Amino acid sequence: QVRLEESGGGSVKTGGSLRLSCIASLFRDTTYSMGWFRQAPGQAREGIAAIVGLGRKKYADSVKGRFAISRDSDFAISKDNVQTTLYLEMNSLKPEDSAVYHCAADPTSAYGLDLPKDVLAFGYSGQGTQVSVSS
């Protein structure tokens, strides 16, 4: 079973910082690509950051230079599952960054995918955590 649970959202002022976390339970012996997408009220979902395995990272232009994605190494939690934590470090926040932020995962090497946009097509995602940025 794959489970994703986000935390770390909150309310900050323009220019502030937040660090989102996503505890992920994944199937072992499987390579996952992971990422973050967000959705603001009345707006389309936006894939904003992706990481393939523990390496290649891609960012949307809207967050490039301000946000950073990272991921801990996996560790076994059962004979079938491993756990990892995915992070999104968000700096220089703007009111337009206000949204519900979701982490997502997919058992793919991401070859041929247009990341981070295609994070929206990942098979697993969490319930999200709210980020509100006031001016």
Side-chain angles (χ1 to χ4, degrees), residues 26-39:
L26 307 171
F27 291 117
R28 65 188 307 165
D29 300 326
T30 303
T31 298
Y32 284 85
S33 295
M34 300 187 73
W36 293 90
F37 67 92
R38 65 187 180 184
Q39 186 165 27

Side-chain angles (χ1 to χ4, degrees), residues 7-134:
S7 62
S11 298
V12 297
K13 292 202 177 288
T14 296
S17 299
L18 283 173
R19 188 192 199 203
L20 305 184
S21 299
C22 172
I23 297 177
S25 172
L26 307 171
F27 291 117
R28 65 188 307 165
D29 300 326
T30 303
T31 298
Y32 284 85
S33 295
M34 300 187 73
W36 293 90
F37 67 92
R38 65 187 180 184
Q39 186 165 27
Q43 297 190 25
R45 295 182 303 163
E46 179 189 17
I48 58 170
I51 182 168
V52 180
L54 293 175
R56 184 164 60 98
K57 302 174 184 179
K58 298 285 282 185
Y59 299 95
D61 288 343
S62 59
V63 306
K64 197 174 295 183
R66 300 187 300 122
F67 290 12
I69 189 171
S70 62
R71 175 184 169 182
D72 288 343
S73 298
D74 299 348
F75 62 92
I77 56 173
S78 73
K79 70 177 180 66
D80 296 321
N81 292 94
V82 296
Q83 183 172 297
T84 185
T85 303
L86 182 73
Y87 301 98
L88 187 68
E89 187 76 38
M90 306 188 296
N91 299 307
S92 302
L93 283 162
K94 307 173 182 179
E96 52 263 44
D97 294 318
S98 298
V100 177
Y101 284 71
H102 302 262
C103 66
D106 203 81
T108 174
S109 65
Y111 178 77
L113 294 184
D114 182 10
L115 294 176
K117 186 170 62 175
D118 286 347
V119 168
L120 300 181
F122 282 7
Y124 304 98
S125 61
Q127 292 297 308
T129 185
Q130 176 71 50
V131 171
S132 299
V133 185
S134 59

